[in-house]
Amino acid sequence: MTRIDQTFARLRAEGRKAFVTYIMGGDPTFETSLEVMKGLPAAGVDIIELGMCFTDPMADGPTIQAAGQRALDHGMNTDRVFEMVRAFRTADDSTPIVLMGYYNPVYARGVDLFLSEAKEAGIDGLIIVDLPPEEDSELCLPAQAAGLNFIRLATPTTDAARLPQVLQNTSGFVYYVSINGITGSAAPTADSVGPEVARIKAATDLPVVVGFGISTPEAAEVMAGVGDGCVVGSAIVKLIGEGRPAAEVLARVAELAEGAHRG
């Protein structure tokens, strides 16, 4: 079992939902980003999604696009992402870390090298948003062979014919994108998300975590309540982009975590 599998097993035993957060690695600087990352578990975060900055983030809204650009402007790259994870692991060997981003940086590094370095650094899973199931042999299957979960996105447009392909080689959890659109856009509702999550859960034993558009503790509670947990990204990245101190960012994360854990 990976740390992700272990975390969901523990949460099920405790009767709690998962709270997952996204931050962009290196935003606005390596040091600040690492300070926030190190504080996330104590703030109630169960799984950390760490963004890999990329010059053409086609699925991301303005907030996360700007975060990626800030990280790039301060010299963030794949080497430093791994360095950041290794630094985190010196004090925390239990919180799962999922790298989230695009395939180009992986391809540029070479799949075998990337996966071996990711595993060595202490990464548990990957979300690569621009690799469809038809390309599983490219990264998904090698990642799983290396002991990493490969987490797939399902969306409101993933119909009954497509869903089995999406789920076929997915592991860890399914990330349900609750809205049609980019990150940080319109807020989802339980009425629209609940039936879709139920449809996915009927087709898989994997946990289903809801993300996109969640920005308040109340929304986190509702979305975690209809799934096995929720993801908050843009609302946290926005605070970082405003230059808020790490302590203030983490205090808001703790409020969001309380909401999710009530779900």
Side-chain angles (χ1 to χ4, degrees), residues 138-260:
E138 195 78 20
L139 180 63
C140 172
L141 298 180
Q144 295 192 353
L148 299 172
N149 289 128
F150 197 88
I151 296 142
R152 188 87 68 194
L153 304 180
T155 75
T157 59
T158 305
D159 62 18
R162 182 64 170 170
L163 185 59
Q165 293 173 279
V166 170
L167 296 175
Q168 182 175 6
N169 292 315
T170 300
S171 63
F173 61 92
V174 179
Y175 187 136
Y176 180 67
V177 177
S178 59
I179 56 172
N180 287 318
I182 54 176
T183 58
S185 51
T189 66
D191 288 344
S192 63
V193 173
E196 291 299 302
V197 170
R199 181 170 66 91
I200 296 167
K201 288 181 72 65
T204 180
D205 292 330
L206 291 171
V208 180
V209 176
V210 181
F212 281 47
I214 302 167
S215 60
T216 67
E218 294 75 20
E221 179 178 358
V222 170
M223 290 300 109
V226 299
D228 296 296
C230 71
V231 184
V232 177
S234 293
I236 298 167
V237 173
K238 183 174 183 289
L239 294 176
I240 295 170
E242 291 171 354
R244 306 293 183 92
E248 184 177 339
V249 173
L250 292 168
R252 182 56 174 171
V253 170
E255 293 173 357
L256 291 159
E258 288 178 8

Side-chain angles (χ1 to χ4, degrees), residues 23-81:
I23 62 169
M24 177 65 71
D27 172 38
T29 65
F30 180 94
E31 292 76 17
T32 299
S33 186
L34 180 58
E35 182 181 1
V36 171
M37 185 181 182
K38 285 182 173 180
L40 292 175
V45 174
D46 299 299
I47 298 172
I48 298 169
E49 289 179 3
L50 184 63
M52 297 186 292
C53 53
F54 179 50
T55 52
D56 299 282
M58 61 186 179
D60 295 319
T63 298
I64 292 180
Q65 285 188 27
Q69 192 59 55
R70 288 191 297 267
L72 288 167
D73 290 345
H74 285 91
M76 197 64 179
N77 55 32
T78 305
D79 283 331
R80 301 216 77 195
V81 168

Side-chain angles (χ1 to χ4, degrees), residues 52 78 82 86 99 103 105-107 109-128 131 136-150:
M52 297 186 292
T78 305
F82 292 144
R86 285 192 291 268
L99 283 189
Y103 185 48
V106 180
Y107 178 80
R109 197 171 194 84
V111 168
D112 291 344
L113 177 60
F114 179 90
L115 291 175
S116 65
E117 291 180 314
K119 185 70 175 175
E120 178 273 329
I123 291 160
D124 304 287
L126 302 175
I127 300 175
I128 305 298
L131 274 182
D136 275 358
S137 61
E138 195 78 20
L139 180 63
C140 172
L141 298 180
Q144 295 192 353
L148 299 172
N149 289 128
F150 197 88

